[in-house]
Each structure stands twice: as C-alpha cells, then as structure tokens.
Amino acid sequence: MKLTSMMRQLQSVEAAHAGPVKVTRGLWQTFLRELAGVVFFNTAIALLLVFTGFGGTFLQNFVFSQCIGISITLFVDGGRRVIWGDGTPSMVPFLLLVVIGCVAGLVVGIACGTALLGVPISNWRMLNGRSLPIVLVVALIATGIGTYHGWSRARLSQLREATAQQALREAAADKQLVRAQLQTLQAQLEPHFLFNVLANLDSLIARDPARARILLGHLNRFLRASLAATRAEVTALADEFALLEALMAIQQVRFGERLRYTFELPEDCRALPVPPMLVQPLVENAVKHGVEPLAGGASVHVSARRERSASGAWQVVLRVADDGAGFRAAVGADGDDRAGGVGLTNIRERLRVLFGDAARLTLTEGVPRGVVATLRLPAESSGPPAVPTA
C-alpha cells in the first residue's frame, strides 16, 4: 500500500508539531493592544483638528478625543469581552452593545474631559470661542471604526484558531493512520521468516533434538526482542543489533559453518534512535540471496557508523555487506527480486513516510563479489560523536 500521499502531512505535523501549537493571544492582552491603537488614532485626530483650525486648542482636542474615544472603547470592546469572552458575538446583540456603548461612552467622555480641563460640564460646547461638537463627532466616528476593526480582527483570529485546531486534529488522525500502516509494514516481514524457522525446527526435532533445543532458545530470544520492537516507534541501535544477532544465531543453526557473520557497533552509535526492524530485511536478504545459493556459504558483515552528510548534518550509516552470490542470484525461485522484493519495498515506503528525502537505501555490487546494502538515516538529534576517553 502506497503511503506517499500522506508523507507531507506527517512531516508537517512533526516538524511544526513537535508539540501542541498555541494560536490564541491573551484575551485582555489583545484588548490593551487595540486600546493603545485607539489612543494613537485619537492623538492623530487632535493634531489634525489643530492644523485645520477646528475645535479648540490641541490640549482641548486631545483631552476630549481621548476621553470619549477610550470611554467608548471600554464600553463596547471591553463589554464584548466581558459578555462573550473569546467567543464570536452575534450581530444584533453586538450592534445593540455598540449603540449603548457609544451613548454611555460619549456621556462619560464628556464628563471626564470637562473635569480634566477644569470647566463646568455645561460649558463643554464652547471653549476658547470654538465649537467642539465636531471634535466629538470625529472622535465618535473614529472610535466606532476602531471598535469595528477590533471586532473584525478578533473574529478573524477566532476563525484562524478554529481552522488551525481543525488542521491539528486532522493531522493527528493522519499520523495515527500512518503509524498503523507502518506497523502493518513491519508485520509483513515476520510470517515468511517464522514459517521457515518453524519448518526447520520441525525437521530438527526428529533428527537432532539438541540442535532443535538450541534453535528454540534462539527463536525465543528473537521473538521477545521482535515483540518489543513492533510495539515501539523507535528503538536504540544497540537493541536493533541485539535483534539481528538473535536472527543470525537462528540462521547459523540452519546453515552451520556455511554462514559466517560479524557485527560492528561503535560505542557512540549504541544509543542512536532508529525505526525498529528496519535492518532485518537487509540481513535476511543477505542470507537468502548471498549465503544460501553457494555450497560453501558466505560471510555477512553488519556495521553502523556516524558521519557528516554533504549538507553538514549528522547521519547514521547502516551497512549490510555479504560476499555471496551477488546480483546474479537476484531472482529466486519464489520470484523475489533482490533489488526490489517485498522487504526492500517496505523499507523504502517506511523511509519515505518517516524521513522523506532525508533518508535513502542503496544497493551496490560488493568487491570481489556479493552485495552491499547501505541505509542512511538522519541523526541530527543525537549530537556530535562522543570523544573516547582514556
């Protein structure tokens, strides 16, 4: 089953969503920011009125515009937050709040303005021989525009938050689906191997009970490690190598001296996290296509190392090399192509889903014979290599 169509969704979740995304500003923090905008806008109005010759002095224009503008903002925008919180108000109740807030803000603003200027409230219309109603009208219109702007921004922010939360829910569901598919891919690797081992065990019970007991012990160790691996999303490279050692011990009971194998796992690679059971199909391929066709058998060498990629990022390089039959035994009796069988197809699908273009699998001819399978995985989270101490 192809998973390429889900790769970008999983990558966006894990790269953006290394954790929950917070998209909501503090409710009152946004209000204070918008209130500061109202203050700035009313100041600009006071300056404009002075330069155009309307209203009174700059101080009078400034005091009245700020008092009225801030009062209306407190009644309308503050009232909206008190009544509806971070919810979106319906239009009719909100318009009613705007009308009441403008009237109340106008009254309170005039009272505050005359009090600050030290004049009787009955004289608010005429100060310094100038008429002030135009100041109030302009401040009222500006505040209404600012209030509607703030309400629109709040509603837009809520829509964005709802969209983001929905996207997170959908991405989380997609991620769960990908994980289930990855477990299915891992499970596909098991039956063929187990059937062969059980068939071999059945034949050994009758003719060589001692070897059958040894094989059963190795199989028990392999199944324990394999069961733990199938339940985990990642595993330490040391645990992956322990699984491979149990696998090769089982195979050696079958092939005897025809199978020779070695493992190379540097200390600085043991704790590196890798997807579980990713190397196993490569080892099985080396045994099936490299060792089994030759009467004299062959050697299999499994190694790991860390190195810098061309971009400078750390990567872990896993290598399975055999000196067996090579690509001339590419197609077996069951039609399993060594360069593109089920196991290798599953590996490539898992690499695409988990890492995108950051990981790759390559198969090359061995020297003087055999095949070398190389896995390159990103290892940026593991840091630089450890420096050996004396």
Side-chain angles (χ1 to χ4, degrees):
M1 182 178 182
K2 299 298 182 182
L3 304 177
T4 308
S5 61
M6 303 187 65
M7 179 183 69
R8 292 188 177 90
Q9 295 178 353
L10 182 63
Q11 288 175 327
S12 65
V13 171
E14 295 185 343
H17 62 324
V21 179
K22 185 174 181 60
V23 296
T24 307
R25 286 183 179 268
L27 185 63
W28 291 100
Q29 178 185 356
T30 305
F31 172 71
L32 293 176
R33 182 174 59 83
E34 293 174 356
L35 186 60
V38 171
V39 171
F40 175 81
F41 195 70
N42 287 335
T43 303
I45 291 176
L47 290 171
L48 180 64
L49 291 172
V50 170
F51 287 128
T52 56
F54 290 100
T57 65
F58 171 73
L59 178 61
Q60 295 166 349
N61 293 335
F62 178 81
V63 170
F64 272 102
S65 63
Q66 296 296 350
C67 288
I68 295 173
I70 293 175
S71 297
I72 294 177
T73 301
L74 289 174
F75 278 108
V76 176
D77 218 19
R80 177 180 64 84
R81 284 169 166 79
V82 170
I83 297 173
W84 290 284
D86 58 353
T88 303
S90 56
M91 182 59 69
V92 174
F94 179 72
L95 290 178
L96 182 61
L97 174 64
V98 170
V99 172
I100 296 174
C102 286
V103 173
L106 185 62
V107 173
V108 172
I110 291 173
C112 292
T114 54
L116 290 174
L117 291 173
V119 298
I121 194 171
S122 59
N123 295 338
W124 72 275
R125 290 178 175 274
M126 293 295 296
L127 290 173
N128 293 340
R130 296 279 186 170
S131 178
L132 288 180
I134 190 170
V135 178
L136 305 181
V137 172
V138 173
L140 182 62
I141 294 174
T143 304
I145 294 173
T147 300
Y148 178 76
H149 174 70
W151 178 74
S152 300
R153 285 174 58 90
R155 189 169 185 181
L156 180 60
S157 176
Q158 291 158 6
L159 292 175
R160 286 175 177 170
E161 178 180 358
T163 302
Q165 294 296 338
Q166 179 65 24
L168 286 177
R169 286 192 292 269
E170 293 176 357
D174 288 343
K175 188 176 180 181
Q176 290 297 327
L177 178 59
V178 168
R179 286 176 177 171
Q181 290 171 324
L182 288 177
Q183 290 176 351
T184 301
L185 292 177
Q186 290 174 197
Q188 290 176 1
L189 305 175
E190 293 299 322
H192 177 74
F193 167 73
L194 288 177
F195 291 151
N196 285 342
V197 174
L198 291 176
N200 193 25
L201 181 62
D202 182 63
S203 64
L204 284 177
I205 289 175
R207 59 185 174 85
D208 195 342
R211 289 184 66 196
R213 289 181 60 87
I214 294 175
L215 177 59
L216 186 60
H218 292 323
L219 179 60
N220 181 52
R221 183 161 60 98
F222 172 80
L223 289 178
R224 287 179 181 272
S226 177
L227 183 61
T230 55
R231 292 176 176 174
E233 294 184 21
V234 295
T235 184
L237 197 51
D239 295 333
E240 183 77 359
F241 267 59
L243 177 68
L244 297 176
E245 288 179 9
L247 169 65
M248 295 303 280
I250 292 173
Q251 298 285 22
Q252 194 165 50
V253 173
R254 176 187 175 190
F255 290 101
E257 295 182 354
R258 292 176 58 203
L259 172 60
R260 300 168 295 278
Y261 64 89
T262 55
F263 290 92
E264 181 183 349
L265 180 61
E267 190 64 30
D268 65 315
C269 292
R270 294 183 62 83
L272 291 178
V274 294
M277 303 174 67
L278 194 63
V279 188
Q280 178 183 334
L282 302 179
V283 174
E284 291 182 1
N285 265 6
V287 174
K288 179 179 179 180
H289 299 290
V291 178
E292 189 171 357
L294 300 181
S299 300
V300 178
H301 180 66
V302 184
S303 64
R305 70 176 187 274
R306 295 208 306 181
E307 64 180 32
R308 293 278 192 181
S309 65
S311 63
W314 285 105
Q315 59 181 197
V316 56
V317 180
L318 303 172
R319 189 170 176 268
V320 179
D322 68 77
D323 57 1
F327 284 112
R328 67 184 180 86
V331 180
D334 57 0
D336 183 20
D337 188 346
R338 182 165 190 181
V342 174
L344 298 183
T345 299
N346 285 348
I347 291 177
R348 292 189 172 100
E349 289 293 338
R350 292 179 67 191
L351 292 179
R352 274 198 292 267
V353 171
L354 293 172
F355 303 109
D357 296 331
R360 68 179 185 273
L361 167 66
T362 57
L363 270 69
T364 57
E365 288 276 4
V367 177
R369 65 180 186 180
V371 174
V372 179
T374 305
L375 271 172
R376 297 181 180 273
L377 311 176
E380 292 148 350
S381 60
S382 59
V387 178
T389 56

